[in-house]
Amino acid sequence: MSLNVLTLKELIEQGLLKGKRVFFRSDLNVPLDESRNITEDTRIRASLPGIKMALDAGAAVMVTSHLGRPVEGAWSEDISLNPIAKHISNLLGQEVRLVKDWLDGVEVEPGQVVLLENCRINVGEQSNDDNLAKKMAKLCDIFVNDAFGTAHRAQASTHGIAKYVDIACAGPLLQAELEALDKALENPKRPLLAVVGGSKVSTKLSVLESLSHKVDQLIVGGGIANTFMLACGLNIGNSLSEPDQVDKAKSIMENLKERSASVPIPVDVVVGQDFAIDTIATKKATTDVSDGDMIMDIGQKSIDNLCEIISKAGTIVWNGPIGVFEFPAFSNGTKQVAQAIAKSDAFSIAGGGDTLAAISQFNINEGIDYISTGGGAFLEFLEGKGLPAVDILIERNNTL
């Protein structure tokens, strides 16, 4: 692969895992209900192929992950990986023992897998403490990073351990994420289209600026679109927007204009008077929006325009909804845009929590070429930032 990291697959092909102690950093940070039952297990299922590969190759496997937002040095049942251990046991069809205190040594034999308690409990994890990283490295012969969702963080279990272990590599999930992003951004089939939605321009501003120099077309949705409408001199009433970001929106539109690209501005919208599921939805031209209106979706003419743009794309990168898709009366824009992306012949990659929720809600999983498990890491890659946990794997590979 062009990103130049050693992969677990390559190590297995070389027969290097048999009898070895293999340490996986996975992303098993899944949602739990009040009774600590797992409500959605996509991240767990996405992490299993790498674990199975190592087991089948004769390795003794250790897996760790963060869960929730624990305080370092303070274990509690609320942030324990115990529900994860039970779920992986069921999915693998073999016992997965949870090890609470693991830094001073772990008992695990080839063909076995153990889950190491929440790694963010360890003092020094988030500061990437060298002494902690060295302790982790001593536990294993091979470190496998298979947690793309944490790749933008330089922490002891994602970055530090990779500096000190004998062999550090990317697992199949991380490898697939990097290859998909590389295909979408580094050598894309043109036209390259980015669809970026959500509530705030400011949280995605640097991403939008970076994309404005790369893409052939940029579609914005949600509160971001409202801010761009404001930048075009349109009245957006009482809609969610960031007036202090108007100049940045204008700058992004200028960047695109210089490259013969553009940001399509809605010509019609769906408004309500209150941000509530039962507010009455009213369709209006953007020129007719009144001061009390809240824009919560785009209208059919705007939807048709976006779908036409999507149909001509060669590559589509999607992050964020078009409107308030959680409210049925304001879900049509996100639904039709999502369906258009799924039907497109373009290579499509989607990431981010709200995006994944929309994909699930509108049942278009099969139509998206690659669905990223990462939120922050996905956005930082789009922005062009380095991912510390990937950079160290590249560095280690280059010194082999």
Side-chain angles (χ1 to χ4, degrees):
M1 61 187 288
S2 61
L3 285 150
N4 195 25
V5 298
L6 182 65
T7 67
L8 179 65
K9 182 181 178 183
E10 289 171 325
L11 293 177
I12 290 174
E13 288 172 348
Q14 296 169 35
L16 296 179
L17 261 68
K18 189 172 179 62
K20 300 294 185 183
R21 294 165 66 85
V22 178
F23 184 111
F24 277 82
R25 175 53 162 100
S26 300
D27 183 3
L28 309 174
N29 186 31
V30 294
L32 304 172
D33 64 19
E34 292 180 357
S35 300
R36 306 210 74 230
N37 296 310
I38 296 168
T39 58
E40 207 282 320
D41 70 349
T42 297
R43 285 177 171 168
I44 294 175
R45 290 181 182 274
S47 298
L48 288 185
I51 295 168
K52 288 179 179 177
M53 285 168 63
L55 288 172
D56 292 344
V61 177
M62 296 167 272
V63 183
T64 195
S65 172
H66 69 290
L67 178 67
R69 298 181 181 274
V71 175
E72 290 187 1
W75 180 89
S76 71
E77 192 64 44
D78 289 344
I79 45 81
S80 173
L81 298 185
N82 189 48
I84 317 297
K86 292 177 180 177
H87 195 60
I88 295 178
S89 295
N90 291 333
L91 293 174
L92 283 179
Q94 69 179 79
E95 181 189 9
V96 177
R97 181 167 45 92
L98 180 66
V99 181
K100 184 178 178 183
D101 300 307
W102 50 271
L103 288 175
D104 293 321
V106 178
E107 292 183 10
V108 58
E109 299 296 325
Q112 294 180 342
V113 54
V114 295
L115 186 61
L116 311 181
E117 187 58 283
N118 197 324
C119 58
R120 287 194 183 161
I121 297 170
N122 297 320
V123 177
E125 164 66 15
Q126 296 191 61
S127 64
N128 200 18
D129 180 76
D130 271 348
N131 291 326
L132 176 60
K134 288 174 181 177
K135 276 192 169 186
M136 292 181 183
K138 285 181 180 178
L139 297 175
C140 60
D141 305 298
I142 297 167
F143 168 65
V144 183
N145 191 329
D146 213 19
F148 177 75
T150 64
H152 59 309
R153 303 190 186 281
Q155 299 182 342
S157 68
T158 65
H159 180 274
I161 183 176
K163 293 193 293 185
Y164 300 112
V165 75
D166 288 342
I167 299 174
C169 69
L173 176 58
L174 179 60
Q175 179 185 352
E177 295 267 9
L178 296 176
E179 287 176 339
L181 285 164
D182 189 53
K183 181 176 180 180
L185 290 178
E186 300 305 320
N187 188 30
K189 180 182 177 184
R190 300 282 179 173
L192 170 58
L193 167 66
V195 180
V196 182
S199 58
K200 290 188 176 183
V201 175
S202 55
T203 57
K204 296 182 179 179
L205 182 62
S206 53
V207 176
L208 291 168
E209 286 186 316
S210 177
L211 289 173
S212 71
H213 297 288
K214 299 176 182 177
V215 301
D216 302 299
Q217 192 89 50
L218 176 62
I219 290 175
V220 293
I224 295 174
N226 294 339
T227 302
F228 275 79
M229 289 169 64
L230 199 60
C232 293
L234 290 164
N235 180 20
I236 61 168
N238 197 28
S239 307
L240 177 67
S241 68
E242 293 179 278
D244 61 329
Q245 300 295 331
V246 162
D247 287 343
K248 294 293 185 181
K250 289 179 179 178
S251 174
I252 288 166
M253 287 189 284
E254 283 298 317
N255 290 344
L256 287 158
K257 188 176 179 181
E258 288 174 7
R259 302 179 56 254
S260 300
S262 65
V263 179
I265 302 300
V267 295
D268 57 345
V269 292
V270 185
V271 305
Q273 295 302 302
D274 302 290
F275 190 82
I277 194 168
D278 58 352
T279 192
I280 297 172
T282 305
K283 299 173 183 177
K284 289 189 174 185
T286 52
T287 52
D288 295 334
V289 174
S290 60
D291 291 345
D293 289 335
M294 294 181 69
I295 300 171
M296 292 195 281
D297 198 10
I298 57 174
Q300 193 59 52
K301 289 181 180 178
S302 300
I303 292 170
D304 291 343
N305 182 32
L306 298 189
C307 290
E308 177 69 16
I309 293 168
I310 290 166
S311 71
K312 295 175 180 177
T315 304
I316 302 170
V317 178
W318 175 27
N319 177 271
I322 300 301
V324 187
F325 72 98
E326 301 92 340
F327 297 171
F330 303 98
S331 65
N332 202 37
T334 303
K335 179 180 181 179
Q336 289 195 45
V337 165
Q339 290 173 337
I341 293 171
K343 291 175 183 175
S344 169
D345 291 331
F347 174 76
S348 56
I349 178 169
D354 286 341
T355 313
L356 302 192
I359 288 170
S360 175
Q361 181 171 318
F362 303 123
N363 195 28
I364 58 164
N365 300 61
E366 296 300 319
I368 307 298
D369 291 295
Y370 194 83
I371 298 174
S372 174
T373 58
F378 183 82
L379 283 174
E380 294 207 6
F381 195 102
L382 295 188
E383 188 180 340
K385 286 184 176 180
L387 302 176
V390 175
D391 292 341
I392 187 62
L393 296 182
I394 294 172
E395 183 181 322
R396 288 300 310 272
N397 190 39
N398 289 338
T399 58
L400 287 178

